[in-house]
Each structure stands twice: as C-alpha cells, then as structure tokens.
Short mmCIF file of all heavy atoms in Angstrom, two decimals:
data_model
loop_
_atom_site.label_atom_id
_atom_site.label_comp_id
_atom_site.label_asym_id
_atom_site.label_seq_id
_atom_site.Cartn_x
_atom_site.Cartn_y
_atom_site.Cartn_z
N TYR A 1 97.55 -190.97 -173.35
CA TYR A 1 98.18 -191.81 -172.33
C TYR A 1 97.36 -193.09 -172.23
O TYR A 1 96.13 -193.04 -172.28
CB TYR A 1 98.22 -191.07 -171.00
CG TYR A 1 98.87 -191.83 -169.87
CD1 TYR A 1 100.25 -192.05 -169.87
CD2 TYR A 1 98.13 -192.31 -168.80
CE1 TYR A 1 100.85 -192.74 -168.83
CE2 TYR A 1 98.73 -192.99 -167.77
CZ TYR A 1 100.09 -193.21 -167.79
OH TYR A 1 100.68 -193.89 -166.76
N TYR A 2 98.06 -194.23 -172.08
CA TYR A 2 97.39 -195.52 -172.09
C TYR A 2 97.76 -196.36 -170.87
O TYR A 2 98.88 -196.26 -170.35
CB TYR A 2 97.78 -196.32 -173.34
CG TYR A 2 97.36 -195.69 -174.63
CD1 TYR A 2 98.18 -194.78 -175.29
CD2 TYR A 2 96.13 -196.01 -175.22
CE1 TYR A 2 97.78 -194.19 -176.48
CE2 TYR A 2 95.73 -195.43 -176.40
CZ TYR A 2 96.55 -194.53 -177.04
OH TYR A 2 96.16 -193.96 -178.22
N ALA A 3 96.84 -197.21 -170.49
CA ALA A 3 97.17 -198.24 -169.50
C ALA A 3 98.14 -199.21 -170.14
O ALA A 3 98.07 -199.48 -171.35
CB ALA A 3 95.90 -198.96 -169.06
N ASP A 4 99.02 -199.76 -169.35
CA ASP A 4 100.01 -200.71 -169.87
C ASP A 4 99.35 -201.90 -170.54
O ASP A 4 99.87 -202.44 -171.51
CB ASP A 4 100.92 -201.19 -168.74
CG ASP A 4 101.90 -200.12 -168.29
OD1 ASP A 4 102.10 -199.13 -169.03
OD2 ASP A 4 102.47 -200.28 -167.19
N SER A 5 98.20 -202.29 -170.04
CA SER A 5 97.53 -203.49 -170.53
C SER A 5 97.01 -203.34 -171.97
O SER A 5 96.74 -204.33 -172.63
CB SER A 5 96.37 -203.86 -169.61
OG SER A 5 95.44 -202.80 -169.53
N VAL A 6 96.86 -202.10 -172.43
CA VAL A 6 96.33 -201.88 -173.79
C VAL A 6 97.31 -201.16 -174.71
O VAL A 6 97.04 -201.02 -175.91
CB VAL A 6 95.00 -201.09 -173.74
CG1 VAL A 6 94.00 -201.78 -172.81
CG2 VAL A 6 95.22 -199.65 -173.33
N LYS A 7 98.42 -200.74 -174.17
CA LYS A 7 99.39 -199.98 -174.96
C LYS A 7 99.86 -200.80 -176.16
O LYS A 7 100.19 -201.98 -176.03
CB LYS A 7 100.57 -199.60 -174.07
CG LYS A 7 101.40 -198.45 -174.57
CD LYS A 7 102.45 -198.07 -173.55
CE LYS A 7 101.86 -197.59 -172.26
NZ LYS A 7 102.87 -197.17 -171.26
N GLY A 8 99.84 -200.17 -177.32
CA GLY A 8 100.25 -200.86 -178.54
C GLY A 8 99.13 -201.61 -179.23
O GLY A 8 99.28 -202.03 -180.38
N ARG A 9 97.99 -201.77 -178.55
CA ARG A 9 96.85 -202.48 -179.15
C ARG A 9 95.65 -201.53 -179.34
O ARG A 9 94.88 -201.71 -180.28
CB ARG A 9 96.41 -203.64 -178.26
CG ARG A 9 97.47 -204.69 -178.04
CD ARG A 9 96.91 -205.92 -177.32
NE ARG A 9 96.40 -205.60 -175.99
CZ ARG A 9 95.15 -205.80 -175.60
NH1 ARG A 9 94.26 -206.33 -176.44
NH2 ARG A 9 94.76 -205.50 -174.36
N PHE A 10 95.48 -200.58 -178.46
CA PHE A 10 94.36 -199.63 -178.52
C PHE A 10 94.87 -198.25 -178.91
O PHE A 10 95.98 -197.86 -178.54
CB PHE A 10 93.67 -199.53 -177.16
CG PHE A 10 92.91 -200.75 -176.72
CD1 PHE A 10 93.01 -201.97 -177.39
CD2 PHE A 10 92.08 -200.69 -175.61
CE1 PHE A 10 92.31 -203.08 -176.97
CE2 PHE A 10 91.37 -201.80 -175.18
CZ PHE A 10 91.49 -203.00 -175.85
N THR A 11 94.03 -197.51 -179.62
CA THR A 11 94.35 -196.14 -179.98
C THR A 11 93.16 -195.24 -179.69
O THR A 11 92.05 -195.49 -180.19
CB THR A 11 94.70 -196.02 -181.47
OG1 THR A 11 95.82 -196.87 -181.77
CG2 THR A 11 95.08 -194.60 -181.83
N ILE A 12 93.39 -194.21 -178.90
CA ILE A 12 92.35 -193.23 -178.61
C ILE A 12 92.52 -192.06 -179.56
O ILE A 12 93.64 -191.63 -179.86
CB ILE A 12 92.41 -192.78 -177.13
CG1 ILE A 12 91.20 -191.92 -176.77
CG2 ILE A 12 93.72 -192.07 -176.81
CD1 ILE A 12 91.08 -191.63 -175.27
N SER A 13 91.41 -191.53 -180.03
CA SER A 13 91.45 -190.37 -180.92
C SER A 13 90.14 -189.60 -180.78
O SER A 13 89.20 -190.07 -180.13
CB SER A 13 91.65 -190.79 -182.37
OG SER A 13 90.57 -191.59 -182.81
N ARG A 14 90.11 -188.42 -181.36
CA ARG A 14 88.90 -187.62 -181.29
C ARG A 14 88.76 -186.76 -182.53
O ARG A 14 89.76 -186.43 -183.18
CB ARG A 14 88.92 -186.74 -180.04
CG ARG A 14 90.02 -185.68 -180.03
CD ARG A 14 90.15 -185.02 -178.67
NE ARG A 14 88.93 -184.31 -178.29
CZ ARG A 14 88.64 -183.97 -177.04
NH1 ARG A 14 89.45 -184.30 -176.05
NH2 ARG A 14 87.52 -183.30 -176.78
N ASP A 15 87.52 -186.44 -182.84
CA ASP A 15 87.23 -185.52 -183.93
C ASP A 15 86.36 -184.41 -183.35
O ASP A 15 85.16 -184.60 -183.13
CB ASP A 15 86.49 -186.25 -185.06
CG ASP A 15 86.27 -185.38 -186.28
OD1 ASP A 15 86.30 -184.14 -186.14
OD2 ASP A 15 86.05 -185.93 -187.36
N ASN A 16 86.97 -183.28 -183.06
CA ASN A 16 86.24 -182.19 -182.42
C ASN A 16 85.19 -181.57 -183.33
O ASN A 16 84.26 -180.93 -182.86
CB ASN A 16 87.21 -181.14 -181.91
CG ASN A 16 87.99 -181.62 -180.69
OD1 ASN A 16 87.61 -182.58 -180.03
ND2 ASN A 16 89.12 -180.96 -180.41
N THR A 17 85.36 -181.74 -184.64
CA THR A 17 84.35 -181.20 -185.56
C THR A 17 83.07 -182.04 -185.53
O THR A 17 82.00 -181.56 -185.89
CB THR A 17 84.87 -181.16 -187.00
OG1 THR A 17 85.09 -182.50 -187.46
CG2 THR A 17 86.17 -180.38 -187.09
N LYS A 18 83.21 -183.30 -185.08
CA LYS A 18 82.05 -184.19 -184.99
C LYS A 18 81.63 -184.45 -183.55
O LYS A 18 80.74 -185.26 -183.29
CB LYS A 18 82.35 -185.52 -185.68
CG LYS A 18 82.61 -185.39 -187.17
CD LYS A 18 82.87 -186.75 -187.80
CE LYS A 18 83.08 -186.62 -189.30
NZ LYS A 18 83.37 -187.94 -189.93
N ASN A 19 82.30 -183.80 -182.60
CA ASN A 19 82.01 -184.02 -181.18
C ASN A 19 82.05 -185.51 -180.82
O ASN A 19 81.18 -186.02 -180.11
CB ASN A 19 80.64 -183.44 -180.80
CG ASN A 19 80.68 -181.95 -180.58
OD1 ASN A 19 81.67 -181.29 -180.91
ND2 ASN A 19 79.62 -181.39 -180.04
N THR A 20 83.06 -186.20 -181.30
CA THR A 20 83.12 -187.65 -181.11
C THR A 20 84.50 -188.10 -180.67
O THR A 20 85.52 -187.64 -181.20
CB THR A 20 82.72 -188.39 -182.39
OG1 THR A 20 81.41 -187.96 -182.80
CG2 THR A 20 82.68 -189.89 -182.17
N LEU A 21 84.49 -189.01 -179.72
CA LEU A 21 85.69 -189.66 -179.21
C LEU A 21 85.69 -191.09 -179.72
O LEU A 21 84.62 -191.71 -179.85
CB LEU A 21 85.66 -189.66 -177.68
CG LEU A 21 86.75 -190.43 -176.93
CD1 LEU A 21 88.08 -189.67 -177.02
CD2 LEU A 21 86.35 -190.63 -175.47
N TYR A 22 86.87 -191.63 -180.00
CA TYR A 22 86.98 -193.00 -180.52
C TYR A 22 87.96 -193.82 -179.69
O TYR A 22 88.88 -193.28 -179.07
CB TYR A 22 87.45 -192.98 -181.97
CG TYR A 22 86.58 -192.21 -182.91
CD1 TYR A 22 86.94 -190.92 -183.29
CD2 TYR A 22 85.41 -192.76 -183.41
CE1 TYR A 22 86.14 -190.19 -184.15
CE2 TYR A 22 84.60 -192.04 -184.27
CZ TYR A 22 84.97 -190.75 -184.63
OH TYR A 22 84.17 -190.03 -185.49
N LEU A 23 87.76 -195.13 -179.74
CA LEU A 23 88.74 -196.07 -179.21
C LEU A 23 88.85 -197.21 -180.20
O LEU A 23 87.93 -198.02 -180.32
CB LEU A 23 88.35 -196.59 -177.82
CG LEU A 23 89.40 -197.49 -177.17
CD1 LEU A 23 90.65 -196.67 -176.80
CD2 LEU A 23 88.85 -198.18 -175.92
N GLN A 24 89.94 -197.23 -180.93
CA GLN A 24 90.21 -198.33 -181.86
C GLN A 24 90.91 -199.43 -181.09
O GLN A 24 91.99 -199.21 -180.53
CB GLN A 24 91.07 -197.86 -183.01
CG GLN A 24 91.44 -198.95 -184.00
CD GLN A 24 90.23 -199.46 -184.77
OE1 GLN A 24 89.43 -198.70 -185.30
NE2 GLN A 24 90.09 -200.79 -184.82
N MET A 25 90.30 -200.61 -181.07
CA MET A 25 90.84 -201.73 -180.31
C MET A 25 91.23 -202.84 -181.27
O MET A 25 90.40 -203.29 -182.08
CB MET A 25 89.80 -202.24 -179.31
CG MET A 25 89.26 -201.15 -178.40
SD MET A 25 88.14 -201.78 -177.13
CE MET A 25 86.78 -202.34 -178.15
N SER A 26 92.46 -203.27 -181.18
CA SER A 26 92.97 -204.33 -182.05
C SER A 26 93.60 -205.42 -181.20
O SER A 26 93.88 -205.22 -180.02
CB SER A 26 94.01 -203.76 -183.02
OG SER A 26 93.47 -202.72 -183.79
N SER A 27 93.85 -206.57 -181.83
CA SER A 27 94.45 -207.71 -181.13
C SER A 27 93.73 -207.97 -179.82
O SER A 27 94.36 -208.14 -178.77
CB SER A 27 95.94 -207.45 -180.89
OG SER A 27 96.62 -207.23 -182.10
N LEU A 28 92.42 -208.00 -179.89
CA LEU A 28 91.62 -208.13 -178.67
C LEU A 28 91.82 -209.49 -178.00
O LEU A 28 92.03 -210.51 -178.67
CB LEU A 28 90.15 -207.90 -178.98
CG LEU A 28 89.76 -206.43 -179.16
CD1 LEU A 28 88.45 -206.29 -179.90
CD2 LEU A 28 89.69 -205.74 -177.80
N LYS A 29 91.75 -209.46 -176.68
CA LYS A 29 91.93 -210.65 -175.86
C LYS A 29 90.68 -210.87 -175.01
O LYS A 29 89.96 -209.91 -174.72
CB LYS A 29 93.12 -210.47 -174.93
CG LYS A 29 94.41 -210.06 -175.61
CD LYS A 29 95.49 -209.75 -174.58
CE LYS A 29 96.78 -209.32 -175.23
NZ LYS A 29 97.82 -208.99 -174.22
N PRO A 30 90.43 -212.10 -174.58
CA PRO A 30 89.30 -212.31 -173.68
C PRO A 30 89.36 -211.42 -172.43
O PRO A 30 88.32 -211.02 -171.90
CB PRO A 30 89.42 -213.80 -173.32
CG PRO A 30 90.06 -214.40 -174.54
CD PRO A 30 91.04 -213.37 -175.02
N ALA A 31 90.57 -211.10 -171.99
CA ALA A 31 90.73 -210.22 -170.82
C ALA A 31 90.24 -208.79 -171.06
O ALA A 31 90.08 -208.02 -170.12
CB ALA A 31 92.19 -210.19 -170.39
N ASP A 32 89.99 -208.46 -172.34
CA ASP A 32 89.47 -207.12 -172.65
C ASP A 32 87.95 -207.05 -172.51
O ASP A 32 87.36 -205.98 -172.66
CB ASP A 32 89.85 -206.73 -174.08
CG ASP A 32 91.34 -206.56 -174.26
OD1 ASP A 32 91.99 -205.97 -173.37
OD2 ASP A 32 91.86 -207.04 -175.29
N THR A 33 87.33 -208.19 -172.24
CA THR A 33 85.88 -208.22 -172.07
C THR A 33 85.47 -207.36 -170.88
O THR A 33 85.97 -207.52 -169.78
CB THR A 33 85.40 -209.66 -171.84
OG1 THR A 33 85.64 -210.43 -173.02
CG2 THR A 33 83.91 -209.70 -171.51
N ALA A 34 84.58 -206.41 -171.15
CA ALA A 34 84.16 -205.46 -170.12
C ALA A 34 83.10 -204.53 -170.68
O ALA A 34 82.87 -204.50 -171.90
CB ALA A 34 85.35 -204.63 -169.63
#
C-alpha cells in the first residue's frame, strides 16, 4: 500500500531470506527530500 504522493514512482519490496526491506524510488522530486 502506498501514499498517493509516491504511488507509481516508489516500489516497496522485501527479501525475507536476507532480512532486508527495500524502497526503490524513481522520478524523484525535490518534495521527496526527507
């Protein structure tokens, strides 16, 4: 589930074998600064 502000630009995923969560961020905007 995504916030409207990032939908279509960000992708959340996870690899449970590596105990790792990811956030792929594309088409970044200055408003994404945080």
Side-chain angles (χ1 to χ4, degrees):
Y1 181 70
Y2 296 89
D4 287 344
S5 59
V6 306
K7 200 174 297 182
R9 299 188 298 121
F10 291 10
T11 301
I12 189 171
S13 62
R14 65 191 297 161
D15 185 339
N16 288 342
T17 65
K18 297 181 178 179
N19 280 11
T20 304
L21 173 74
Y22 302 100
L23 185 68
Q24 178 67 49
M25 306 185 294
S26 303
S27 302
L28 283 161
K29 307 174 181 179
D32 295 318
T33 295

